[in-house]
Amino acid sequence: MDLDRSYPAISDLAARARRRVPRFVWDYLDSGTGTEATTRRNRERLDAVLFDPAILAGERNANLSQSFLGHEFALPFGIAPVGMSGVVWPDAERILARLGRDEGIPYTLSTVAAQTPETVSPHLGPHAWCQLYPPRDLEIRKDMLKRFKDAGFRALVLTADVPVTSRRERQQRGGMSTPPQLSLRILGQIALRPAWTLATLRTGVPRLRTIEKYTGNRGAMSSTGHIGHLIRTSPDWEYLEWLRDHWDGPLMVKGVLVAADAVRLKASGVDAVWVSNHAGRQFDAAPASIDLLPDIRAAVGPDYPLIFDGGVAGGLDILRALALGADFVMLGRAFLYGLAAFGQRGAAHVVHLLREDILSNLGQLGLEGFDGLTLRVRG
């Protein structure tokens, strides 16, 4: 099958993914919280960012490389952490780690993944990042950082926008639990999705294996109250200072929407700020990430590293974020859509689609790279 002809957009992969995974899995992956207004707002505000197209610009040979945190990446985007991604598609973590390695882009492992740092380690490339939901206990904290470091993860991402559990009402109605609790309703959904079921049987029932070292396997819990919450705390500035002192690689903070917070994080020795509203999964009254990006860029100055996520659905959205101040863009759901649609081939197709969309839109803007994007934004 020619995926480019049959599935030319990430939305096409999402539609196929929805048909291939059980309903409770889809509701977990695709939902926001509340009325999901923030999720919609992300999309609407990205669509509102317009450019002036160019004419008579001549032939262009676009360069898509981007410098970030001392590295030169062939592409300006990477793979964001998605909790319980192994529920969405079996062995998602190792497949995506290999994709990051092969494409030379960052891959980020979630604390609440279905694989451990140790089992993902052989599949990592040089740009492996790890995401931390902060453990309360000091010894667990130290041990977790050591495991990440020993496994080959080079950068640490502290998620700061999950101080409490969000409700995610659609997700709860879907019946998600970890591991999946085999009620008649869930069994019926599984029976209708043979590809997902067979792949899951081969890989094993997904569990939060990194966390189980500290909690044991406690059986099924709701997806909004999984075992990770048993060891987690709501971090403060003192906690951040401790992390900076005990992690010797790049430290990023994810979930920043307030310019003053970004300035304080920069002053605290954080190496990069990740502008994000958690894709609308935490707080339904949050502004769209893209609306806050210019203010945060102005506050931290032109040279401080900024990452962006929030509703990105194609290469044009990546250009929008770069134009408004981001240095790098991360996507989570898109890669899971690809995986659920076509396995490893589908995830690789996401990289292809993003690359080709960036090239096409740079051509419309008459640009050979990202430096002139700001000048092409309307208004």
Short mmCIF file of all heavy atoms in Angstrom, two decimals, residues 248-307:
data_model
loop_
_atom_site.label_atom_id
_atom_site.label_comp_id
_atom_site.label_asym_id
_atom_site.label_seq_id
_atom_site.Cartn_x
_atom_site.Cartn_y
_atom_site.Cartn_z
N ASP A 248 22.87 15.74 36.10
CA ASP A 248 24.01 16.42 35.50
C ASP A 248 23.88 16.65 34.00
O ASP A 248 24.83 17.06 33.35
CB ASP A 248 25.31 15.66 35.80
CG ASP A 248 25.31 14.26 35.21
OD1 ASP A 248 24.33 13.89 34.53
OD2 ASP A 248 26.31 13.54 35.41
N GLY A 249 22.69 16.41 33.45
CA GLY A 249 22.46 16.70 32.04
C GLY A 249 21.48 17.85 31.89
O GLY A 249 21.11 18.50 32.86
N PRO A 250 21.04 18.10 30.66
CA PRO A 250 20.04 19.15 30.45
C PRO A 250 18.77 18.86 31.23
O PRO A 250 18.29 17.74 31.29
CB PRO A 250 19.79 19.08 28.94
CG PRO A 250 21.03 18.49 28.37
CD PRO A 250 21.52 17.51 29.39
N LEU A 251 18.22 19.90 31.84
CA LEU A 251 16.98 19.82 32.60
C LEU A 251 15.95 20.76 31.97
O LEU A 251 16.23 21.94 31.77
CB LEU A 251 17.21 20.21 34.06
CG LEU A 251 15.98 20.33 34.96
CD1 LEU A 251 15.27 18.99 35.09
CD2 LEU A 251 16.36 20.88 36.33
N MET A 252 14.79 20.21 31.63
CA MET A 252 13.72 21.00 31.04
C MET A 252 12.50 20.93 31.96
O MET A 252 12.32 19.94 32.66
CB MET A 252 13.34 20.47 29.66
CG MET A 252 14.52 20.26 28.73
SD MET A 252 14.02 19.48 27.18
CE MET A 252 15.38 18.34 26.93
N VAL A 253 11.66 21.95 31.90
CA VAL A 253 10.41 21.94 32.65
C VAL A 253 9.27 22.09 31.66
O VAL A 253 9.22 23.05 30.89
CB VAL A 253 10.37 23.05 33.71
CG1 VAL A 253 8.99 23.11 34.37
CG2 VAL A 253 11.45 22.79 34.77
N LYS A 254 8.35 21.14 31.71
CA LYS A 254 7.24 21.06 30.75
C LYS A 254 5.93 21.50 31.41
O LYS A 254 5.67 21.16 32.56
CB LYS A 254 7.11 19.60 30.28
CG LYS A 254 5.97 19.33 29.30
CD LYS A 254 6.01 17.86 28.87
CE LYS A 254 4.91 17.53 27.88
NZ LYS A 254 3.58 17.53 28.51
N GLY A 255 5.13 22.24 30.64
CA GLY A 255 3.83 22.67 31.14
C GLY A 255 3.81 24.12 31.56
O GLY A 255 3.05 24.51 32.45
N VAL A 256 4.60 24.96 30.90
CA VAL A 256 4.73 26.37 31.27
C VAL A 256 3.86 27.22 30.34
O VAL A 256 3.94 27.10 29.12
CB VAL A 256 6.20 26.82 31.19
CG1 VAL A 256 6.33 28.28 31.59
CG2 VAL A 256 7.07 25.94 32.08
N LEU A 257 3.03 28.09 30.92
CA LEU A 257 2.17 29.00 30.15
C LEU A 257 2.28 30.45 30.60
O LEU A 257 1.70 31.33 29.95
CB LEU A 257 0.71 28.55 30.26
CG LEU A 257 0.33 27.22 29.60
CD1 LEU A 257 -1.12 26.89 29.89
CD2 LEU A 257 0.57 27.26 28.09
N VAL A 258 3.01 30.71 31.68
CA VAL A 258 3.10 32.06 32.24
C VAL A 258 4.52 32.58 32.05
O VAL A 258 5.49 31.92 32.45
CB VAL A 258 2.72 32.06 33.73
CG1 VAL A 258 2.85 33.46 34.31
CG2 VAL A 258 1.29 31.54 33.90
N ALA A 259 4.63 33.76 31.45
CA ALA A 259 5.95 34.30 31.13
C ALA A 259 6.82 34.48 32.38
O ALA A 259 8.01 34.19 32.36
CB ALA A 259 5.79 35.63 30.39
N ALA A 260 6.22 34.95 33.47
CA ALA A 260 7.00 35.16 34.70
C ALA A 260 7.57 33.85 35.23
O ALA A 260 8.68 33.82 35.77
CB ALA A 260 6.12 35.83 35.76
N ASP A 261 6.81 32.76 35.08
CA ASP A 261 7.33 31.45 35.49
C ASP A 261 8.53 31.05 34.63
O ASP A 261 9.51 30.49 35.14
CB ASP A 261 6.24 30.39 35.39
CG ASP A 261 5.12 30.59 36.40
OD1 ASP A 261 5.36 31.24 37.44
OD2 ASP A 261 4.01 30.09 36.15
N ALA A 262 8.44 31.32 33.35
CA ALA A 262 9.55 30.97 32.46
C ALA A 262 10.80 31.75 32.83
O ALA A 262 11.91 31.19 32.83
CB ALA A 262 9.15 31.25 31.01
N VAL A 263 10.64 33.01 33.17
CA VAL A 263 11.79 33.82 33.58
C VAL A 263 12.41 33.26 34.85
O VAL A 263 13.65 33.15 34.97
CB VAL A 263 11.35 35.28 33.78
CG1 VAL A 263 12.47 36.10 34.42
CG2 VAL A 263 10.94 35.90 32.45
N ARG A 264 11.58 32.86 35.80
CA ARG A 264 12.12 32.31 37.05
C ARG A 264 12.79 30.96 36.80
O ARG A 264 13.82 30.66 37.41
CB ARG A 264 10.99 32.17 38.07
CG ARG A 264 11.50 31.73 39.44
CD ARG A 264 10.40 31.76 40.49
NE ARG A 264 10.90 31.29 41.77
CZ ARG A 264 10.18 31.16 42.87
NH1 ARG A 264 8.88 31.50 42.85
NH2 ARG A 264 10.71 30.72 44.00
N LEU A 265 12.24 30.16 35.92
CA LEU A 265 12.86 28.88 35.59
C LEU A 265 14.23 29.10 34.95
O LEU A 265 15.20 28.39 35.27
CB LEU A 265 11.96 28.08 34.65
CG LEU A 265 10.69 27.52 35.28
CD1 LEU A 265 9.74 27.03 34.20
CD2 LEU A 265 11.00 26.40 36.27
N LYS A 266 14.32 30.05 34.07
CA LYS A 266 15.61 30.38 33.45
C LYS A 266 16.62 30.78 34.52
O LYS A 266 17.77 30.30 34.51
CB LYS A 266 15.41 31.51 32.44
CG LYS A 266 16.70 31.98 31.78
CD LYS A 266 16.42 33.15 30.84
CE LYS A 266 17.73 33.67 30.24
NZ LYS A 266 17.50 34.85 29.35
N ALA A 267 16.21 31.63 35.45
CA ALA A 267 17.10 32.08 36.52
C ALA A 267 17.49 30.94 37.46
O ALA A 267 18.54 30.99 38.11
CB ALA A 267 16.45 33.20 37.30
N SER A 268 16.65 29.89 37.53
CA SER A 268 16.91 28.75 38.42
C SER A 268 17.85 27.73 37.81
O SER A 268 18.12 26.70 38.45
CB SER A 268 15.58 28.08 38.79
OG SER A 268 14.72 28.98 39.47
N GLY A 269 18.30 27.96 36.61
CA GLY A 269 19.25 27.05 35.99
C GLY A 269 18.61 25.98 35.11
O GLY A 269 19.29 25.04 34.69
N VAL A 270 17.33 26.12 34.82
CA VAL A 270 16.67 25.19 33.90
C VAL A 270 17.18 25.48 32.49
O VAL A 270 17.28 26.63 32.07
CB VAL A 270 15.13 25.35 33.98
CG1 VAL A 270 14.44 24.58 32.87
CG2 VAL A 270 14.65 24.89 35.35
N ASP A 271 17.49 24.42 31.76
CA ASP A 271 18.13 24.58 30.45
C ASP A 271 17.15 24.90 29.33
O ASP A 271 17.55 25.44 28.30
CB ASP A 271 18.91 23.31 30.11
CG ASP A 271 20.04 23.06 31.09
OD1 ASP A 271 21.04 23.80 31.03
OD2 ASP A 271 19.92 22.15 31.93
N ALA A 272 15.89 24.53 29.49
CA ALA A 272 14.89 24.81 28.46
C ALA A 272 13.51 24.78 29.10
O ALA A 272 13.25 23.98 30.00
CB ALA A 272 14.97 23.81 27.31
N VAL A 273 12.63 25.62 28.60
CA VAL A 273 11.24 25.66 29.04
C VAL A 273 10.38 25.07 27.93
O VAL A 273 10.57 25.37 26.75
CB VAL A 273 10.81 27.10 29.38
CG1 VAL A 273 9.31 27.26 29.31
CG2 VAL A 273 11.30 27.48 30.77
N TRP A 274 9.42 24.25 28.34
CA TRP A 274 8.53 23.57 27.40
C TRP A 274 7.15 24.20 27.54
O TRP A 274 6.43 23.97 28.52
CB TRP A 274 8.50 22.09 27.75
CG TRP A 274 7.83 21.16 26.80
CD1 TRP A 274 6.69 21.38 26.09
CD2 TRP A 274 8.24 19.83 26.48
NE1 TRP A 274 6.36 20.27 25.34
CE2 TRP A 274 7.30 19.31 25.57
CE3 TRP A 274 9.30 19.02 26.90
CZ2 TRP A 274 7.41 18.01 25.06
CZ3 TRP A 274 9.40 17.74 26.38
CH2 TRP A 274 8.47 17.24 25.47
N VAL A 275 6.77 25.01 26.57
CA VAL A 275 5.47 25.69 26.57
C VAL A 275 4.40 24.69 26.16
O VAL A 275 4.41 24.15 25.06
CB VAL A 275 5.49 26.89 25.60
CG1 VAL A 275 4.14 27.60 25.60
CG2 VAL A 275 6.61 27.87 25.97
N SER A 276 3.46 24.44 27.09
CA SER A 276 2.48 23.37 26.86
C SER A 276 1.30 23.53 27.80
O SER A 276 1.48 23.96 28.95
CB SER A 276 3.14 22.01 27.09
OG SER A 276 2.19 20.97 27.08
N ASN A 277 0.11 23.18 27.32
CA ASN A 277 -1.05 23.06 28.21
C ASN A 277 -1.49 21.60 28.32
O ASN A 277 -2.66 21.31 28.58
CB ASN A 277 -2.20 23.97 27.76
CG ASN A 277 -2.69 23.65 26.35
OD1 ASN A 277 -2.49 22.56 25.83
ND2 ASN A 277 -3.35 24.62 25.72
N HIS A 278 -0.55 20.70 28.15
CA HIS A 278 -0.80 19.26 28.29
C HIS A 278 -1.90 18.79 27.33
O HIS A 278 -2.67 17.88 27.65
CB HIS A 278 -1.17 18.90 29.74
CG HIS A 278 -0.62 17.59 30.20
ND1 HIS A 278 0.51 17.49 30.98
CD2 HIS A 278 -1.03 16.31 30.00
CE1 HIS A 278 0.76 16.23 31.24
NE2 HIS A 278 -0.15 15.48 30.64
N ALA A 279 -1.93 19.42 26.16
CA ALA A 279 -2.89 19.06 25.10
C ALA A 279 -4.34 19.12 25.58
O ALA A 279 -5.20 18.39 25.10
CB ALA A 279 -2.57 17.67 24.54
N GLY A 280 -4.60 19.97 26.56
CA GLY A 280 -5.95 20.11 27.07
C GLY A 280 -6.41 18.98 27.97
O GLY A 280 -7.60 18.86 28.26
N ARG A 281 -5.47 18.19 28.47
CA ARG A 281 -5.83 17.02 29.28
C ARG A 281 -5.83 17.30 30.78
O ARG A 281 -6.20 16.44 31.57
CB ARG A 281 -4.87 15.86 28.97
CG ARG A 281 -5.05 15.33 27.56
CD ARG A 281 -3.91 14.42 27.14
NE ARG A 281 -3.90 13.12 27.81
CZ ARG A 281 -4.66 12.08 27.48
NH1 ARG A 281 -5.55 12.20 26.51
NH2 ARG A 281 -4.54 10.93 28.11
N GLN A 282 -5.41 18.50 31.18
CA GLN A 282 -5.30 18.80 32.61
C GLN A 282 -6.26 19.88 33.09
O GLN A 282 -6.84 19.76 34.15
CB GLN A 282 -3.86 19.22 32.94
CG GLN A 282 -2.87 18.06 32.96
CD GLN A 282 -3.26 16.98 33.94
OE1 GLN A 282 -3.45 15.82 33.55
NE2 GLN A 282 -3.40 17.33 35.20
N PHE A 283 -6.39 20.96 32.32
CA PHE A 283 -7.13 22.13 32.80
C PHE A 283 -7.90 22.72 31.63
O PHE A 283 -7.30 23.15 30.64
CB PHE A 283 -6.14 23.15 33.39
CG PHE A 283 -6.77 24.38 33.98
CD1 PHE A 283 -7.85 24.28 34.84
CD2 PHE A 283 -6.27 25.64 33.69
CE1 PHE A 283 -8.43 25.41 35.40
CE2 PHE A 283 -6.83 26.77 34.24
CZ PHE A 283 -7.91 26.66 35.10
N ASP A 284 -9.22 22.72 31.73
CA ASP A 284 -10.04 23.08 30.57
C ASP A 284 -10.23 24.58 30.42
O ASP A 284 -10.89 25.02 29.47
CB ASP A 284 -11.41 22.39 30.65
CG ASP A 284 -12.01 22.14 29.28
OD1 ASP A 284 -11.23 22.08 28.31
OD2 ASP A 284 -13.24 22.01 29.17
N ALA A 285 -9.66 25.38 31.31
CA ALA A 285 -9.71 26.83 31.17
C ALA A 285 -8.35 27.40 30.80
O ALA A 285 -8.11 28.60 30.94
CB ALA A 285 -10.22 27.48 32.45
N ALA A 286 -7.44 26.55 30.33
CA ALA A 286 -6.10 27.02 29.96
C ALA A 286 -6.14 27.71 28.61
O ALA A 286 -6.88 27.31 27.71
CB ALA A 286 -5.13 25.84 29.91
N PRO A 287 -5.33 28.74 28.43
CA PRO A 287 -5.21 29.35 27.11
C PRO A 287 -4.56 28.37 26.13
O PRO A 287 -3.92 27.39 26.53
CB PRO A 287 -4.29 30.56 27.35
CG PRO A 287 -4.24 30.74 28.83
CD PRO A 287 -4.48 29.40 29.44
N ALA A 288 -4.73 28.63 24.85
CA ALA A 288 -4.02 27.85 23.84
C ALA A 288 -2.52 28.09 23.99
O ALA A 288 -2.07 29.22 24.19
CB ALA A 288 -4.48 28.25 22.45
N SER A 289 -1.75 27.03 23.89
CA SER A 289 -0.29 27.16 24.04
C SER A 289 0.29 28.18 23.07
O SER A 289 1.18 28.96 23.43
CB SER A 289 0.37 25.80 23.82
OG SER A 289 -0.07 24.84 24.74
N ILE A 290 -0.20 28.18 21.83
CA ILE A 290 0.38 29.05 20.81
C ILE A 290 0.16 30.52 21.15
O ILE A 290 0.99 31.38 20.80
CB ILE A 290 -0.20 28.72 19.42
CG1 ILE A 290 0.66 29.31 18.31
CG2 ILE A 290 -1.65 29.14 19.30
CD1 ILE A 290 2.02 28.66 18.17
N ASP A 291 -0.90 30.85 21.88
CA ASP A 291 -1.16 32.25 22.22
C ASP A 291 -0.16 32.78 23.24
O ASP A 291 0.08 34.00 23.29
CB ASP A 291 -2.58 32.39 22.78
CG ASP A 291 -3.65 32.37 21.70
OD1 ASP A 291 -3.29 32.53 20.52
OD2 ASP A 291 -4.84 32.18 22.03
N LEU A 292 0.37 31.92 24.08
CA LEU A 292 1.30 32.36 25.12
C LEU A 292 2.75 32.35 24.66
O LEU A 292 3.62 32.97 25.29
CB LEU A 292 1.16 31.46 26.36
CG LEU A 292 -0.02 31.75 27.30
CD1 LEU A 292 0.00 33.19 27.76
CD2 LEU A 292 -1.34 31.41 26.67
N LEU A 293 3.02 31.64 23.58
CA LEU A 293 4.40 31.47 23.13
C LEU A 293 5.12 32.80 22.85
O LEU A 293 6.26 32.97 23.32
CB LEU A 293 4.42 30.56 21.89
CG LEU A 293 5.77 30.21 21.29
CD1 LEU A 293 6.69 29.55 22.30
CD2 LEU A 293 5.57 29.30 20.07
N PRO A 294 4.53 33.75 22.14
CA PRO A 294 5.27 35.00 21.89
C PRO A 294 5.61 35.77 23.17
O PRO A 294 6.71 36.34 23.27
CB PRO A 294 4.30 35.81 21.00
CG PRO A 294 3.43 34.79 20.35
CD PRO A 294 3.25 33.71 21.40
N ASP A 295 4.71 35.80 24.13
CA ASP A 295 4.99 36.50 25.38
C ASP A 295 6.13 35.83 26.14
O ASP A 295 6.99 36.52 26.73
CB ASP A 295 3.74 36.52 26.27
CG ASP A 295 2.66 37.43 25.73
OD1 ASP A 295 2.97 38.29 24.88
OD2 ASP A 295 1.50 37.30 26.17
N ILE A 296 6.15 34.51 26.14
CA ILE A 296 7.22 33.80 26.84
C ILE A 296 8.55 34.02 26.14
O ILE A 296 9.58 34.25 26.79
CB ILE A 296 6.87 32.31 26.96
CG1 ILE A 296 5.67 32.14 27.90
CG2 ILE A 296 8.06 31.50 27.45
CD1 ILE A 296 5.14 30.73 27.99
N ARG A 297 8.54 34.01 24.80
CA ARG A 297 9.78 34.29 24.08
C ARG A 297 10.29 35.69 24.40
O ARG A 297 11.50 35.88 24.65
CB ARG A 297 9.53 34.13 22.57
CG ARG A 297 10.65 34.67 21.67
CD ARG A 297 12.03 34.10 22.05
NE ARG A 297 12.15 32.71 21.70
CZ ARG A 297 13.05 31.87 22.24
NH1 ARG A 297 13.89 32.31 23.18
NH2 ARG A 297 13.13 30.62 21.87
N ALA A 298 9.42 36.67 24.41
CA ALA A 298 9.84 38.03 24.72
C ALA A 298 10.41 38.14 26.12
O ALA A 298 11.38 38.87 26.37
CB ALA A 298 8.67 39.00 24.54
N ALA A 299 9.84 37.37 27.05
CA ALA A 299 10.26 37.47 28.45
C ALA A 299 11.63 36.83 28.70
O ALA A 299 12.42 37.34 29.49
CB ALA A 299 9.21 36.82 29.35
N VAL A 300 11.91 35.71 28.05
CA VAL A 300 13.16 34.99 28.31
C VAL A 300 14.30 35.43 27.40
O VAL A 300 15.45 35.04 27.60
CB VAL A 300 12.97 33.47 28.21
CG1 VAL A 300 11.97 32.98 29.23
CG2 VAL A 300 12.56 33.05 26.80
N GLY A 301 13.99 36.22 26.38
CA GLY A 301 15.01 36.68 25.47
C GLY A 301 15.15 35.81 24.25
O GLY A 301 14.60 34.70 24.18
N PRO A 302 15.90 36.25 23.26
CA PRO A 302 15.94 35.57 21.97
C PRO A 302 16.73 34.27 21.94
O PRO A 302 16.53 33.47 21.02
CB PRO A 302 16.59 36.62 21.05
CG PRO A 302 17.43 37.45 21.98
CD PRO A 302 16.67 37.51 23.27
N ASP A 303 17.60 34.06 22.91
CA ASP A 303 18.53 32.92 22.81
C ASP A 303 18.22 31.77 23.77
O ASP A 303 18.89 30.74 23.73
CB ASP A 303 19.96 33.40 23.06
CG ASP A 303 20.40 34.44 22.05
OD1 ASP A 303 20.02 34.31 20.87
OD2 ASP A 303 21.09 35.40 22.45
N TYR A 304 17.23 31.94 24.61
CA TYR A 304 16.93 30.88 25.58
C TYR A 304 16.09 29.79 24.91
O TYR A 304 15.12 30.08 24.21
CB TYR A 304 16.17 31.47 26.78
CG TYR A 304 15.90 30.47 27.87
CD1 TYR A 304 16.93 29.98 28.65
CD2 TYR A 304 14.60 30.02 28.11
CE1 TYR A 304 16.68 29.06 29.66
CE2 TYR A 304 14.35 29.11 29.12
CZ TYR A 304 15.39 28.63 29.89
OH TYR A 304 15.15 27.71 30.88
N PRO A 305 16.43 28.51 25.11
CA PRO A 305 15.74 27.42 24.41
C PRO A 305 14.29 27.25 24.86
O PRO A 305 13.99 27.11 26.04
CB PRO A 305 16.57 26.18 24.78
CG PRO A 305 17.91 26.71 25.17
CD PRO A 305 17.62 28.02 25.84
N LEU A 306 13.38 27.24 23.87
CA LEU A 306 11.97 27.01 24.12
C LEU A 306 11.46 25.85 23.26
O LEU A 306 11.74 25.80 22.06
CB LEU A 306 11.13 28.26 23.78
CG LEU A 306 11.24 29.48 24.69
CD1 LEU A 306 10.29 30.57 24.20
CD2 LEU A 306 10.94 29.13 26.14
N ILE A 307 10.70 24.96 23.90
CA ILE A 307 10.01 23.87 23.22
C ILE A 307 8.52 24.21 23.21
O ILE A 307 8.02 24.88 24.12
CB ILE A 307 10.24 22.53 23.95
CG1 ILE A 307 11.73 22.25 24.09
CG2 ILE A 307 9.55 21.37 23.23
CD1 ILE A 307 12.04 21.05 24.96
#
